[in-house]
């Protein structure tokens, strides 16, 4: 393997490690649940994505072909991380977890927490059951 490829893989690994470190630091140091949730989901997604890009480069050079496994893992990570963060934030709103006083749109939290899941019309359920 060439020196250029070694430096490229090392750069992706260092960048990934930096993002993972920043996300971990944010999780430990930020003051409330919502800001602590934001740090690892954004930074760690970039960090793990960078490590997987480095692995994809290394595997493709070593084996002489394109590696699909890292790409599938990256896609799964990029799809599931925002969804899980959104679900945790909604659960925290419904449980009325306290926000910081200076949180933007803090006045909307009680209204969001009071929202109910929409129920389908009974006629629509009957039509769906017949179909």
């Amino acid at each position: 393997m060439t020196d250029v490829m070694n430096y490229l893989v090392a750069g992706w690994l260092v960048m990934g490690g930096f993002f993972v470190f920043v996300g971990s630091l944010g999780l430990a140091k930020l003051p409330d649940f919502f800001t602590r949730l934001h740090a690892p989901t954004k930074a760690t997604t970039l960090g793990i994505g960078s490590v997987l890009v480095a692995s994809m480069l290394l595997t493709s050079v070593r084996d002489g072909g394109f590696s699909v496994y890292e790409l599938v893992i990256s896609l799964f990570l990029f799809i599931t991380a925002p969804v899980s963060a959104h679900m945790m934030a909604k659960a925290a709103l419904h449980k009325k977890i306290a926000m910081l006083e200076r949180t933007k749109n803090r006045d909307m939290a009680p209204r969001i927490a009071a929202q109910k899941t929409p129920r389908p019309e009974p006629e629509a359920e009957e039509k769906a059951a017949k179909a």
Side-chain angles (χ1 to χ4, degrees), residues 85-101:
H86 177 73
M87 292 174 72
M88 285 189 282
K90 287 289 281 186
L93 282 172
H94 285 288
K95 292 202 48 101
K96 296 177 178 53
I97 302 287
M99 292 184 188
L100 290 176
E101 289 296 324

Side-chain angles (χ1 to χ4, degrees), residues 28-52:
K29 295 289 184 178
L30 289 172
D32 73 334
F33 174 79
F34 296 99
T35 55
R36 281 194 303 263
L37 179 65
H38 180 75
T41 54
K42 302 298 182 231
T44 306
T45 302
L46 287 171
I48 299 298
S50 298
V51 170
L52 287 169

Side-chain angles (χ1 to χ4, degrees), residues 54-116:
S55 176
M56 200 177 335
L57 287 173
L58 188 65
T59 305
S60 65
V61 168
R62 186 188 62 199
D63 295 343
F66 185 70
S67 175
V68 180
Y69 299 113
E70 289 88 356
L71 184 64
V72 171
I73 293 168
S74 299
L75 289 175
F76 182 73
L77 177 73
F78 291 149
I79 291 170
T80 58
V83 172
S84 63
H86 177 73
M87 292 174 72
M88 285 189 282
K90 287 289 281 186
L93 282 172
H94 285 288
K95 292 202 48 101
K96 296 177 178 53
I97 302 287
M99 292 184 188
L100 290 176
E101 289 296 324
R102 63 181 185 266
T103 300
K104 186 176 179 181
N105 296 330
R106 186 173 190 271
D107 56 331
M108 294 177 62
R111 193 186 80 189
I112 293 170
Q115 287 179 346
K116 302 274 189 243

Side-chain angles (χ1 to χ4, degrees), residues 9-24:
V9 169
W12 279 103
L13 287 173
V14 168
M15 185 170 60
F18 172 75
F19 280 120
V20 169
F21 174 72
V22 168
S24 302

